[in-house]
Amino acid sequence: MVTCHIRYIIDPYKFKEFEHYGKMWIPLVEKFGGSHHGYFLPSEGANNVALAMFTFSSLADHEQYREKSFQDADCIAAFKYAEETKCIVSYERTFFRPVLG
């Protein structure tokens, strides 16, 4: 199992647009076999940092999802929405594996 953690730097004046973007992606990750754990918007502290986390069975499954997402019409629309609204300034992805008891 691998969990992708995405740390976004967002435009703090475009919370609504970023929230819409997140709602677009949750079902798309699940469409390709992942489990989405949600998007997290700023509440206290920094007003321009948002997070997202989702899990796939393996890093290989995540890579297949990434490849398919570049060909999928709904994913392309989500990418385009972020580009047009400029709600995302930058992002970084980190992958984690769980330690289970």
Side-chain angles (χ1 to χ4, degrees):
M1 182 182 331
V2 64
T3 298
C4 181
H5 171 272
I6 305 175
R7 181 178 186 272
Y8 294 93
I9 302 301
I10 62 173
D11 182 331
Y13 299 103
K14 296 186 177 180
F15 274 21
K16 185 176 93 175
E17 291 84 349
F18 182 79
E19 185 171 1
H20 178 72
Y21 170 81
K23 288 179 179 181
M24 293 173 80
W25 272 108
I26 291 170
L28 295 174
V29 167
E30 293 175 351
K31 173 181 176 178
F32 291 105
S35 296
H36 211 294
H37 308 298
Y39 280 79
F40 301 87
L41 294 173
S43 177
E44 293 291 326
N47 69 349
N48 67 335
V49 177
L51 305 172
M53 292 178 65
F54 53 92
T55 299
F56 278 88
S57 297
S58 67
L59 189 56
D61 287 345
H62 175 270
E63 289 305 314
Q64 287 179 356
Y65 145 75
R66 292 275 296 161
E67 289 176 21
K68 290 177 182 177
S69 73
F70 295 121
Q71 306 301 319
D72 181 82
D74 293 329
C75 293
I76 292 167
F79 289 131
K80 186 175 180 178
Y81 176 81
E83 185 178 319
E84 289 174 351
T85 63
K86 298 184 183 344
C87 60
I88 300 170
V89 175
S90 65
Y91 69 93
E92 57 188 44
R93 293 183 303 152
T94 306
F95 295 91
F96 295 92
R97 63 175 178 79
V99 176
L100 305 171

